[in-house]
């Protein structure tokens, strides 16, 4: 429903835009244009925060001369623009809500301000929980959140802005919000339960307009009209028809009737569109996008430490240069993950399924595996051009699509980005890239790195610089909320020497890590340090703990930028966990762990590894149980259990099922202490990842499509 214009009686107003993308820029331009030409207005101060210098330059170019009236800030501490503001407009993309709400101290900076969210598909309840982590009840009355969806017309002061009716803001805050967006056009108030449907109307109309006008112009050009003339005719017709319906009181039916003459072009065009099922196709589009549980980004906010506290799953894809990971929310409404629908793998391309079947038969057959693996090893190590896939196109045509593409992200940036897009199109919503360069030391040759002492300093510096460059280039391919993984031995012989000898990190390595981590923070990404061989691991642990103690601080939920890796197949894994958690608790930083079973059994000391697979399973599952329930020896239990982050990597369906079931049980009891994330290597356990997605969709279908399962629990489809 539409309300009358909302006058406000404020001498001044400070508006800060947190993330100034297309819509944030459009709003700024519209406000500046309207308030410049209006009469008596509050004195308005504008501040805009963007993440990078390139975004700042784009914003300044968009604003033109009006940029002088806006304090534009690139990077740096976003709290500096939030603290003095009266109104904070959240203009960043919805999929970065997790990282945007986890800036250290932001949960204490938001109360007392009017927070206006432009994030489509994100409810006010989710916003309150995102930015109110760790706040006591005394802050509750000071929270003022409103969910607002402007249209693209905001840029030319012709927006129809949707505002959600909610109790998360008082009448004064609602008046201020309405006044701000009335400067940009019309305002419509809707029940929050209808906001997604109302948003879909505008979105689908925009999409329909773009597709229709594009098709009409192309066809007109093919018939002989100039493109500029065809475009002007098409857009003018749309504007005229819109005006007749908006201001002339006509309906689509009456407009169609008035414009259709016997045997005329209009009525025949309508009939031709109907024959192509245009009407039901458009209706279905509204029905799809109007369902909040079907929005592709929605699950991120219901998962990542927000209302529906369910674990997140990340799947990993390896590459010589990078490992890609895909992330999904898990909402299995059943405890038995093996009971998936037979269509779980239908989301995968047929070629991927056939390739998995072929490789599965190969790796599970002793007759095929032994000679086949020997051949692959010879190909990978042979100096012969004939056996080099990069130089032998016939061999490459066999090895790359059959083996490499199954497990690897790509050989260059374009291939990796294409694979990342493919992963997201399957329903997964995030990626992790790992720069997969490392040095492996045969246990039979303890002097394997003695040659490093004879290597020139220039060569050592080049190794480190190459590793640094590779990680920075990998970071460039990541988006906000994604991950970077690394192996420290990839930094070269000098660093590996220091790890073997138990020395402190070389200064040049620390400088490289500082550069990588600063860019990681700027990109709102995270890093995990992979485990390596036992001869190196004590130093890797020590170096990583020092990095965590420096960077894993702040944030209401305990900020975690750096993750260490814990190998459950080692007999001392629990002691390592207890030591690291105790130290983090005592020193006031957040422990972040990636838990794996182990990957270096051939090169590790066998006596330090659990004697049986059952022992390793018990170790892995026991660590998960104690962390989720907060019962680790040596640290406070119950509500005082230390803040920590946990990433569960593995392909064992039983362990995943147990962990997922335990999360649900502990959440129901209100005793869940750690929210885990899950991961598998790409090309391995695809069935498990697809089953998790399928279970989420099944849960919504069982709830009747309302997004609420039995007992009132919220269900969100991992799309």
């Amino acid at each position: 429903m539409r309300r009358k214009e909302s006058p406000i009686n404020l001498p001044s107003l400070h508006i800060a835009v947190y993330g100034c993308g297309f819509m944030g820029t459009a709003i700024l331009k519209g406000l500046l244009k309207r308030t410049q030409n209006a009469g008596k207005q509050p004195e308005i101060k504008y501040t805009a925060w963007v993440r990078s210098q390139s975004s700042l330059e784009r914003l300044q170019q968009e604003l033109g001369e009006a940029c002088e009236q806006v304090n534009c800030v690139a990077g740096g501490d976003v709290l500096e623009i939030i603290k003095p503001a009266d109104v904070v407009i959240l203009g960043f993309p919805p999929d970065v809500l997790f990282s945007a709400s986890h800036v250290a101290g932001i949960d204490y900076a938001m109360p007392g301000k009017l927070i206006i969210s432009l994030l489509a598909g994100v409810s006010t309840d989710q916003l309150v929980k995102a930015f109110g982590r760790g706040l006591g009840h005394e802050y509750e009355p000071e929270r003022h959140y409103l969910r607002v969806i402007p249209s693209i017309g905001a840029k030319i002061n012709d927006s129809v802005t949707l505002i959600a009716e909610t109790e998360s803001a008082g009448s004064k805050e609602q008046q201020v919000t309405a006044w701000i967006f009335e400067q940009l056009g019309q305002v419509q108030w809707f029940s929050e339960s209808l906001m997604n449907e109302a948003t879909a109307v505008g979105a689908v109309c925009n999409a329909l307009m773009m597709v229709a006008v594009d098709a009409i112009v192309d066809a007109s050009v093919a018939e002989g009209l100039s493109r500029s003339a065809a475009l002007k005719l098409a857009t003018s017709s749309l504007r005229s028809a819109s005006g007749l319906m908006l201001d002339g009181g006509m309906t689509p039916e009456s407009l169609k009737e008035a414009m259709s003459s016997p045997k005329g072009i209009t009525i025949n065009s309508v009939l031709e569109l109907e024959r192509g099922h245009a009407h039901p196709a458009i209706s279905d589009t509204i029905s799809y996008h109007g369902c909040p549980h079907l929005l592709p980004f929605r699950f991120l906010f219901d998962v990542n430490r927000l209302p529906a506290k369910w674990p997140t799953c990340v799947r990993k894809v390896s590459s010589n240069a990078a490992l890609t990971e895909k992330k999904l929310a898990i909402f299995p409404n059943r405890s038995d993950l093996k009971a998936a629908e037979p269509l779980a793998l239908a989301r995968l391309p047929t070629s991927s399924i056939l390739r998995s079947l072929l490789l599965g038969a190969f790796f599970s057959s002793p007759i095929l595996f032994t000679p086949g693996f020997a051949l692959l090893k010879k190909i990978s190590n042979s100096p012969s051009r004939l056996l080099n896939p990069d130089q032998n196109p016939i061999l490459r045509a066999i090895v790359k699509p059959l083996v490499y593409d199954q497990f690897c992200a790509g050989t260059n940036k374009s291939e990796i980005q294409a694979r990342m897009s493919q992963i997201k199109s399957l329903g997964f919503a995030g990626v992790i890239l790992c720069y997969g360069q490392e040095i492996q030391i045969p246990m039979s040759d303890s002097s394997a790195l003695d040659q490093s002492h004879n290597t020139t300093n220039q060569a050592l510096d080049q190794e480190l610089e190459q590793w640094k460059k590779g990680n920075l280039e990998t970071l460039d391919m990541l988006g906000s909320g994604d991950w970077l993984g690394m192996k420290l031995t990839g930094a070269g012989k000098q660093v590996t020497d220091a790890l073997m000898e138990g020395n402190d990190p070389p200064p040049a390595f620390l400088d490289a890590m500082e550069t990588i981590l600063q860019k990681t923070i700027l990109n709102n990404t995270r890093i995990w340090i992979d485990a390596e061989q036992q001869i190196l691991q004590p130093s890797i642990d020590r170096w990583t703990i020092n990095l965590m103690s420096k960077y894993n601080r702040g944030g209401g939920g305990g900020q975690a930028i750096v993750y260490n890796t814990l190998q459950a197949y080692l007999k001392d894994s629990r002691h390592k966990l207890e030591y690291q958690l105790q130290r983090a608790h005592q020193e006031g930083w957040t422990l972040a762990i990636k838990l794996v079973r182990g990957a270096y059994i051939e090169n590790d000391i066998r006596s330090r590894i659990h004697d049986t697979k059952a022992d390793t399973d018990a170790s892995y599952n026991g660590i998960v149980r104690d962390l989720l329930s907060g019962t680790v020896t040596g640290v406070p239990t119950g509500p005082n259990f230390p803040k920590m982050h946990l990433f569960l990597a593995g392909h064992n369906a039983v362990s995943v099922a147990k962990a997922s079931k335990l999360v649900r049980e502990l959440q129901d009891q209100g005793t869940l202490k750690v929210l885990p994330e899950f991961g598998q290597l790409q090309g391995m356990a695809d069935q498990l990842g697809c089953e998790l997605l399928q279970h989420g969709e099944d849960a919504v279908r069982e709830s009747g499509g309302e997004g609420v399962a039995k007992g009132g629990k919220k269900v969100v489809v991992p799309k």
Side-chain angles (χ1 to χ4, degrees):
M1 110 188 155
R2 184 177 178 181
R3 299 184 181 181
K4 295 181 179 179
E5 184 160 331
S6 307
I8 58 172
N9 184 22
L10 291 175
S12 63
L13 195 65
H14 185 167
I15 300 175
V17 184
Y18 181 11
C20 210
F22 175 83
M23 189 55 71
T25 304
I27 290 171
L28 267 180
K29 289 191 73 172
L31 285 173
L32 288 167
K33 186 184 301 183
R34 180 64 181 267
T35 53
Q36 281 175 347
N37 302 325
K40 184 179 180 180
Q41 301 281 357
E43 181 183 344
I44 302 180
K45 181 178 181 180
Y46 298 100
T47 307
W49 184 94
V50 292
R51 192 173 65 180
S52 64
Q53 185 64 32
S54 60
S55 296
L56 177 62
E57 293 170 359
R58 185 264 308 159
L59 176 62
Q60 291 172 335
Q61 183 177 1
E62 283 277 338
L63 295 179
E65 295 181 359
C67 188
E68 297 178 0
Q69 302 175 55
V70 183
N71 177 23
C72 300
V73 180
D77 188 358
V78 70
L79 298 186
E80 293 302 316
I81 75 151
I82 290 177
K83 288 177 180 178
D86 303 305
V87 178
V88 179
I89 298 178
L90 306 181
F92 47 78
D95 59 358
V96 303
L97 174 61
F98 175 78
S99 55
S101 63
H102 278 67
V103 174
I106 199 168
D107 42 355
Y108 289 93
M110 288 299 197
K113 304 184 186 305
L114 169 57
I115 314 301
I116 299 176
S117 168
L118 308 181
L119 279 58
V122 183
S123 70
T124 51
D125 183 54
Q126 291 170 322
L127 291 169
V128 169
K129 294 193 177 184
F131 288 101
R133 308 174 319 276
L135 298 180
H137 293 294
E138 65 272 15
Y139 285 91
E140 193 69 35
E142 299 184 23
R143 301 177 184 176
H144 306 293
Y145 294 87
L146 276 170
R147 181 182 172 191
V148 171
I149 304 294
S151 68
I152 57 176
K155 197 170 185 178
I156 56 173
N157 298 95
D158 192 26
S159 172
V160 177
T161 301
L162 314 179
I163 306 180
E165 295 175 334
T166 174
E167 297 181 357
S168 297
S171 59
K172 177 184 175 182
E173 287 71 34
Q174 293 183 27
Q175 282 185 333
V176 171
T177 303
W179 179 86
I180 289 173
F181 289 93
E182 281 164 355
Q183 310 312 303
L184 308 176
Q186 301 178 40
V187 167
Q188 296 284 337
W189 291 80
F190 285 89
S191 166
E192 181 154 19
S193 63
L194 294 175
M195 280 292 283
N196 290 305
E197 286 78 4
T199 303
V201 172
V204 173
C205 283
N206 291 334
L208 178 62
M209 176 195 68
M210 289 183 286
V211 173
V213 170
D214 189 50
I216 290 168
V217 170
D218 284 347
S220 301
V221 172
E223 293 297 322
L225 270 70
S226 69
R227 185 167 293 276
S228 59
L231 180 61
K232 185 174 182 178
L233 284 169
T235 53
S236 297
S237 297
L238 282 174
R239 183 175 60 189
S240 299
S242 298
L244 287 170
M245 288 186 285
L246 188 62
D247 300 321
M250 299 189 74
T251 66
E253 284 297 325
S254 62
L255 188 61
K256 181 172 67 175
E257 181 69 24
M259 296 178 65
S260 299
S261 57
K263 296 186 178 181
I265 295 175
T266 299
I267 190 61
N268 278 285
S269 298
V270 170
L271 291 174
E272 188 64 29
L273 288 171
E274 292 292 355
R275 278 192 285 272
H277 303 288
H279 193 286
I282 295 169
S283 298
D284 288 346
T285 304
I286 288 285
S287 299
Y288 176 84
H289 288 288
C291 297
H293 56 265
L294 292 177
L295 289 174
F297 48 77
R298 177 65 180 271
F299 82 92
L300 281 173
F301 312 114
D302 289 305
V303 176
N304 288 334
R305 295 146 181 86
L306 288 174
K309 288 191 175 179
W310 293 96
T312 308
C313 178
V314 182
R315 307 206 59 206
K316 192 162 86 173
V317 181
S318 62
S319 159
N320 287 346
L323 301 176
T324 308
E325 301 200 355
K326 40 189 190 177
K327 180 157 108 179
L328 70 151
I330 309 175
F331 294 93
N333 206 28
R334 311 162 191 168
S335 59
D336 182 9
L337 291 178
K338 296 182 179 180
E341 296 291 336
L343 297 178
L345 283 174
R347 67 186 71 243
L348 291 178
T350 303
S351 58
S352 295
I353 298 174
L354 293 175
R355 184 171 58 205
S356 295
L357 289 172
L358 181 61
L359 291 176
F362 170 79
F363 286 118
S364 61
S365 170
I367 298 176
L368 296 174
F369 176 75
T370 302
F373 193 76
L375 177 61
L376 289 175
K377 188 174 182 180
K378 184 173 180 62
I379 290 174
S380 63
N381 295 320
S382 174
S384 169
R385 296 186 61 181
L386 185 64
L387 294 179
N388 186 339
D390 291 328
Q391 299 182 19
N392 184 338
I394 298 176
L395 184 61
R396 179 184 176 87
I398 298 172
V399 173
K400 188 175 187 300
L402 184 60
V403 180
Y404 185 91
D405 289 347
Q406 176 73 6
F407 306 106
C408 303
T411 58
N412 54 53
K413 184 175 181 178
S414 62
E415 287 185 3
I416 293 170
Q417 290 180 327
R419 177 59 61 90
M420 291 163 61
S421 298
Q422 181 190 32
I423 287 171
K424 291 180 180 180
S425 71
L426 295 177
F428 301 92
V431 298
I432 297 179
L433 297 176
C434 300
Y435 188 69
Q437 179 173 301
E438 66 176 308
I439 295 175
Q440 287 199 19
I441 305 165
M443 291 302 295
S444 58
D445 185 8
S446 60
S447 61
L449 287 182
D450 282 351
Q451 297 177 5
S452 66
H453 294 294
N454 300 319
T455 306
T456 65
N457 289 334
Q458 182 179 3
L460 295 175
D461 291 342
Q462 288 176 348
E463 289 178 342
L464 179 58
E465 187 61 30
Q466 179 189 6
W467 178 81
K468 172 186 170 182
K469 180 182 177 183
N471 280 292
L472 291 173
E473 289 176 347
T474 304
L475 274 171
D476 285 336
M477 290 183 276
L478 294 170
S480 180
D482 290 338
W483 300 59
L484 170 71
M486 64 170 60
K487 294 180 181 290
L488 298 190
T489 58
K493 295 177 181 178
Q494 183 182 31
V495 171
T496 306
D497 244 355
L499 290 168
M500 288 183 64
E501 296 171 6
N503 295 334
D504 290 334
F509 170 80
L510 290 177
D511 291 342
M513 282 300 301
E514 175 70 16
T515 302
I516 293 169
L517 280 161
Q518 288 302 325
K519 186 166 186 176
T520 300
I521 295 170
L522 184 63
N523 288 0
N524 287 316
T525 50
R526 295 173 285 178
I527 283 183
W528 75 33
I529 310 296
D530 267 324
E532 300 191 51
Q533 295 166 258
Q534 288 178 31
I535 194 172
L536 307 165
Q537 196 57 45
S539 295
I540 292 175
D541 285 338
R542 181 164 54 86
W543 292 10
T544 306
I545 288 171
N546 289 338
L547 290 172
M548 288 192 291
S549 69
K550 179 178 179 180
Y551 292 97
N552 291 7
R553 294 180 181 270
Q559 176 175 277
I561 303 298
V562 181
Y563 282 61
N564 197 14
T565 301
L566 187 68
Q567 300 179 94
Y569 79 167
L570 296 177
K571 294 178 179 178
D572 67 349
S573 57
R574 180 171 288 275
H575 297 298
K576 283 187 175 183
L577 171 66
E578 292 171 358
Y579 166 74
Q580 294 180 38
L581 192 56
Q582 289 169 16
R583 180 168 169 182
H585 177 61
Q586 293 167 1
E587 298 176 0
W589 49 273
T590 301
L591 177 65
I593 289 292
K594 179 185 72 163
L595 182 64
V596 301
R597 275 175 164 76
Y600 291 89
I601 194 168
E602 289 189 357
N603 289 326
D604 273 345
I605 302 169
R606 186 62 183 86
S607 61
R608 298 181 183 177
I609 299 173
H610 283 296
D611 298 330
T612 66
K613 179 182 178 299
D615 291 340
T616 296
D617 290 342
S619 172
Y620 187 98
N621 296 334
I623 290 173
V624 172
R625 180 194 63 238
D626 290 350
L627 287 175
L628 298 188
S629 60
T631 56
V632 178
T633 303
V635 295
T637 59
N640 296 319
F641 187 74
K643 296 288 186 182
M644 74 161 294
H645 293 250
L646 177 63
F647 181 94
L648 301 178
H651 311 93
N652 188 302
V654 174
S655 291
V656 172
K658 284 184 175 180
S660 180
K661 181 181 178 182
L662 182 59
V663 168
R664 296 193 306 276
E665 291 174 349
L666 294 174
Q667 184 193 19
D668 289 342
Q669 299 166 11
T671 56
L672 180 64
K673 301 304 176 188
V674 179
L675 180 65
E677 298 173 274
F678 290 81
Q680 304 95 32
L681 287 161
Q682 170 65 18
M684 299 174 63
D686 283 344
Q687 175 70 17
L688 177 57
C690 290
E691 285 175 359
L692 293 170
L693 283 171
Q694 188 72 38
H695 277 296
E697 295 172 356
D698 290 346
V700 171
R701 281 195 292 271
E702 290 170 5
S703 72
E706 297 297 324
V708 180
K710 293 179 180 179
K713 293 182 183 178
K714 194 168 185 181
V715 178
V716 183
V717 171
K719 282 286 187 180

